[in-house]
Amino acid sequence: MTLKDIAFKNLRRRKAKAGFILAGILIGVATMVTLISLIQAMTHDINHKLEKYGANILIVPKTESLSLTYGGLAVGGVSFEMQEIQEKDLAKIKTIKNAANVAATGPMVLGVIEVAGHRVLLAGIDFQAAKILKPWWKVQGSNPGDNGILLGTDAARVLNLKMGSPVKVNNRALTVSGILESTGSQDDQLVFTRLEVAQAIFGKQGRISMAEVAALCNACPIDDMVQQISGVLPGAKVMAIQQVVKSRMETLQHFLKFSYAVSIIVLLVGGLMVLVSMMGSVRERTGEIGIWRAIGFRRSHVIRIVLLEAGTISAIAGIFGYLIGLGATKIAVKFLSQGDVLVPFDPQLAAGAFALAVLIGIVSSIYPAMLAARLDPNEALRSI
Amino acid sequence: MSYIRAENLMKIYGQGEAAVTALRDVSFGLESGDFISIMGESGSGKSTMLSIMGALNTPSSGKFLVEDIDVYALKQEQRADFRREFVGFIFQSFNLIPYLTVVENVMLPLTTLNIKSSKKRVLALDALGRVGLSNKADRLPSQISGGEQERVAIARAIVNQPPMLLADEPTGNLDSKTGAEIMDLLRQLNEQGMTVIMVTHNIECARYARRLLRMADGMMHEEDPVNLMAQAECLAGQVSVALKSAGGVA
Ligand SMILES: Nc1ncnc2c1ncn2[C@@H]1O[C@H](COP(=O)(O)OP(=O)(O)O)[C@@H](O)[C@H]1O
Ligand SMILES: [Mg+2]
């Protein structure tokens, strides 16, 4: 027989009361866990998509006067007036601090060519890097070899070219080796060939018009990467292209704040339920407390019994609250997203939920416990 | 010097208009091993006196000493320790904790002691043996009779071997036969060396005591128990009536 036994036996005896307190904390913890783990799952999902997003950093020549969009006829025309980027300089990207997070660097040379009486933009690219930079590309046929070209859907239609069609570009005989399936981007209107081939056609050996970089990094801020690349390529302008993802992340951040607010309110209500129930319990047990005091329990013993009871219930509520919250998240995720979003076991959240539950249970019971301890034992006994 | 001493005890409940004086300048000395009964009309201050002797009720003035310990000079928590070590309480309503078994109720005073649970159980079963209830150790209080509950309360009061046993109308809620059994038990405990101080309405019960303190209107004087015998004989015809109504008198 210890104080713990008294606490446990009382809880077992008064299941309804204990259940009420349990429910108060359980609902609070489950709500908190659901909201937070839901957001974690969504964030994880977005990060995951970010990886599939391909290029997220653009390196373009520095220019004072023109806004350079990749595509559009102006590109070829003005490129001579801009500082150009040396192809070999791109190797410096491998030396930045977060180099490990750079999945691919894709140099690109752009220029205007004339094919069958149409002016069209020719892009020389590294097809190896394109696999990572443009993971959504689907090529019918094959990537071009030494004398091949790849056509965007629109380009193929407008130029009326088919797989295997011969094309003459600046006296150079090329063959259509593949056609790009519609991407819904500017790529549909371009003609692609290998970097060296395009450089030769435009007489820009060793120089490039721009470069795309895929940085696979959930944790490190993309702005840091941009800074680092700017550092090693002082002649170029480096910028991040991930506005869409960013704004979705911001929305989630707002939602996270909102969730914290909701959790705090629900937990406060739970704490209040504990407070009220424990006050009632102390009042109900006045005579019992009188007996304890009469047979020599100290005030501190009485406090310990009350807090042990509260702590035990809230620990149970913490465990089950977490599990229920996790289950609710798994169900919610199924409804909210079509994909296979994972809801992982997060030990930090689990420990946090448990600790918070116990903390709330105990903090809300401190006042009732003090009240119990301060009862005049003589008065308490007279109440029987 | 007496083992237990009350010096000019005063107790006033409440304040101003509502003030009730329960004790007016009570002094006495009791020896270790005494068996004392306190008698008096309802409201005369008996329970107040007993709760002060049990370190449960701080007097308005005066001193109460046991073994030269000035009980009300002790700090709150030390006074709790004093109760645990020196006092065994037996109440009129038996005051068992309903969700604990008989043996667990008896173990209660040992709960806060730093001894093994198995040892606590042995001590509790031993105390239950002394009140003749070993066979009902694992029942809940609701599953035993009133007389048995009272005996459990006595076992709980003696389990940690306190020198003083305080009983407030221990037979008040029992029929006369069961009451007599309880009184026999108290006498045995007294013979084993415990100082027993008992409040009672019942003359029959009072006759078990060796000393009789009578209270009236917050004041106390000692009577010769021999008088009580004579009185009892004189009241013989009325005793049975008194016993029957004793249950209703608090
Ligand atoms: N806690 C208390 N608060 C106020 N008055 C009390 C309290 N306890 C006892 N009294 C009053 O003190 C007087 C003595 O009471 P008590 O000691 O219980 O007498 P007895 O046990 O002889 O009946 C009574 O008038 C009673 O109403
Ligand atoms: Mg009384």
Side-chain angles (χ1 to χ4, degrees):
Chain A
M1 229 357 224
T2 58
L3 295 178
K4 206 167 62 203
D5 295 321
I6 297 178
F8 288 173
K9 292 205 158 108
N10 175 51
L11 289 181
R12 222 176 302 151
R13 163 88 179 214
R14 291 173 215 233
K15 285 204 183 78
K17 191 134 238 162
F20 189 69
I21 298 175
L22 188 99
I25 299 181
L26 190 104
I27 292 168
V29 172
T31 308
M32 182 196 80
V33 169
T34 307
L35 288 171
I36 291 178
S37 61
L38 199 57
I39 289 162
Q40 279 181 349
M42 311 267 264
T43 310
H44 187 263
D45 184 41
I46 287 184
N47 279 335
H48 192 61
K49 288 210 175 96
L50 191 65
E51 286 177 12
K52 290 189 196 152
Y53 198 78
N56 49 5
I57 295 174
L58 217 54
I59 302 171
V60 297
K62 262 202 181 133
T63 168
E64 274 80 47
S65 54
L66 286 166
S67 78
L68 187 130
T69 54
Y70 117 68
L73 295 178
V75 176
V78 297
S79 60
F80 295 104
E81 293 156 29
M82 296 186 296
Q83 285 181 286
E84 288 185 315
I85 304 167
Q86 297 298 312
E87 192 183 340
K88 64 176 188 316
D89 285 348
L90 290 183
K92 291 180 189 161
I93 293 175
K94 294 207 175 75
T95 66
I96 65 168
K97 182 164 150 273
N98 282 350
N101 292 310
V102 176
T105 304
M108 189 187 263
V109 66
L110 289 164
V112 180
I113 54 168
E114 225 176 284
V115 179
H118 291 276
R119 280 161 68 83
V120 62
L121 201 57
L122 175 74
I125 62 167
D126 176 347
F127 285 92
Q128 209 60 33
K131 275 186 198 146
I132 296 167
L133 293 166
K134 298 173 191 298
W136 53 87
W137 269 19
K138 285 206 180 75
V139 176
Q140 287 182 348
S142 60
N143 280 335
D146 277 343
N147 286 310
I149 54 171
L150 176 70
L151 300 175
T153 10
D154 293 344
R157 185 172 44 78
V158 171
L159 301 177
N160 198 18
L161 293 172
K162 294 203 171 46
M163 209 100 83
S165 302
V167 183
K168 211 160 178 119
V169 180
N170 290 3
N171 292 327
R172 193 163 170 158
L174 303 171
T175 318
V176 178
S177 72
I179 293 174
L180 194 58
E181 277 182 22
S182 179
T183 62
S185 71
Q186 290 170 317
D187 293 346
D188 292 351
Q189 295 161 21
L190 262 63
V191 175
F192 296 92
T193 186
R194 293 176 58 157
L195 184 66
E196 317 86 79
V197 177
Q199 281 172 334
I201 288 170
F202 299 128
K204 289 186 179 178
Q205 282 85 352
R207 289 172 294 167
I208 56 169
S209 311
M210 57 179 287
E212 292 171 312
V213 175
L216 298 188
C217 186
N218 301 330
C220 61
I222 202 74
D223 294 336
D224 285 1
M225 303 274 293
V226 168
Q227 285 278 320
Q228 291 170 14
I229 295 173
S230 297
V232 294
L233 298 176
K237 184 171 164 189
V238 184
M239 51 201 186
I241 44 165
Q242 51 147 11
Q243 300 313 332
V244 184
V245 178
K246 219 174 183 174
S247 70
R248 246 188 98 182
M249 290 291 246
E250 266 161 21
T251 314
L252 274 183
Q253 285 301 318
H254 287 310
F255 188 43
L256 188 64
K257 275 186 202 149
F258 168 75
S259 303
Y260 281 136
V262 171
S263 302
I264 287 170
I265 292 168
V266 179
L267 286 169
L268 275 179
V269 171
L272 218 63
M273 271 170 79
V274 176
L275 179 77
V276 171
S277 322
M278 289 307 272
M279 296 280 280
S281 165
V282 165
R283 215 166 296 131
E284 226 171 79
R285 293 164 78 187
T286 300
E288 189 179 322
I289 294 164
I291 299 172
W292 292 343
R293 300 282 280 135
I295 63 178
F297 281 23
R298 292 175 164 208
R299 283 183 168 177
S300 59
H301 294 136
V302 176
I303 290 179
R304 252 193 279 169
I305 293 175
V306 175
L307 293 187
L308 263 167
E309 287 179 10
T312 308
I313 303 178
S314 30
I316 296 170
I319 293 170
F320 285 98
Y322 176 77
L323 293 177
I324 290 172
L326 201 67
T329 309
K330 285 194 172 158
I331 293 166
V333 154
K334 271 200 188 118
F335 284 106
L336 291 180
S337 84
Q338 47 281 78
D340 41 28
V341 179
L342 238 70
V343 184
F345 170 76
D346 178 355
Q348 223 171 323
L349 183 61
F354 180 78
L356 200 65
V358 174
L359 189 78
I360 288 172
I362 289 185
V363 167
S364 324
S365 302
I366 287 177
Y367 180 65
M370 302 277 281
L371 221 61
R374 280 172 191 282
L375 280 177
D376 178 340
N378 196 43
E379 295 292 327
L381 281 170
R382 271 166 60 97
S383 80
I384 300 176
Chain B
M1 277 293 199
S2 297
Y3 177 67
I4 296 169
R5 277 181 291 147
E7 296 177 0
N8 308 103
L9 286 175
M10 293 267 284
K11 179 69 190 185
I12 301 165
Y13 292 108
Q15 281 177 346
E17 299 265 308
V20 176
T21 307
L23 294 183
R24 304 169 198 269
D25 194 19
V26 173
S27 302
F28 58 84
L30 305 176
E31 301 313 319
S32 178
D34 262 349
F35 192 150
I36 287 107
S37 78
I38 301 176
M39 292 192 77
E41 288 183 3
S42 188
S44 58
K46 307 181 295 295
S47 294
T48 301
M49 191 59 242
L50 206 71
S51 61
I52 289 177
M53 294 172 84
L56 274 176
N57 193 1
T58 309
S60 306
S61 66
K63 273 189 186 179
F64 181 72
L65 300 101
V66 177
E67 265 186 16
D68 289 326
I69 299 168
D70 185 348
V71 173
Y72 291 96
L74 295 174
K75 292 202 182 90
Q76 268 282 346
E77 301 289 63
Q78 265 113 51
R79 210 170 324 133
D81 295 344
F82 172 86
R83 285 196 289 273
R84 193 185 60 226
E85 282 168 39
F86 283 81
V87 187
F89 274 105
I90 306 166
F91 307 94
Q92 177 178 3
S93 45
F94 321 120
N95 290 347
L96 301 181
I97 308 246
Y99 54 82
L100 298 180
T101 62
V102 162
V103 68
E104 285 165 349
N105 263 288
V106 177
M107 275 193 270
L108 269 183
L110 309 173
T111 308
T112 56
L113 298 183
N114 195 14
I115 51 177
K116 271 195 195 151
S117 275
S118 54
K119 169 94 173 149
K120 289 178 187 174
R121 201 179 158 85
V122 168
L123 288 171
L125 285 172
D126 180 56
L128 276 174
R130 287 167 75 186
V131 301
L133 271 181
S134 303
N135 55 337
K136 305 212 165 148
D138 293 316
R139 299 218 189 159
L140 287 173
S142 56
Q143 296 165 333
I144 58 177
S145 74
E148 287 169 336
Q149 288 183 38
E150 183 73 342
R151 284 195 274 162
V152 175
I154 294 174
R156 184 177 68 192
I158 62 174
V159 70
N160 55 342
Q161 317 257 357
M164 289 159 73
L165 197 57
L166 304 182
D168 197 346
E169 307 198 27
T171 61
N173 283 341
L174 301 174
D175 61 67
S176 56
K177 184 171 163 283
T178 320
E181 281 169 22
I182 296 297
M183 291 315 300
D184 281 331
L185 194 53
L186 289 182
R187 179 154 57 193
Q188 277 175 36
L189 292 169
N190 175 246
E191 279 163 5
Q192 288 160 22
M194 278 184 131
T195 310
V196 179
I197 300 153
M198 169 186 67
V199 167
T200 183
H201 253 84
N202 188 326
I203 294 169
E204 288 296 309
C205 295
R207 286 172 59 184
Y208 282 83
R210 277 192 293 232
R211 284 176 71 184
L212 172 64
L213 298 176
R214 194 173 282 278
M215 292 206 66
D217 196 21
M219 295 194 281
M220 180 185 274
H221 62 271
E222 181 147 11
E223 268 184 27
D224 191 341
V226 175
N227 288 345
L228 201 63
M229 305 284 185
Q231 204 177 9
E233 271 155 33
C234 144
L235 290 172
Q238 295 166 30
V239 164
S240 59
V241 180
L243 279 174
K244 276 202 188 101
S245 61
V249 186

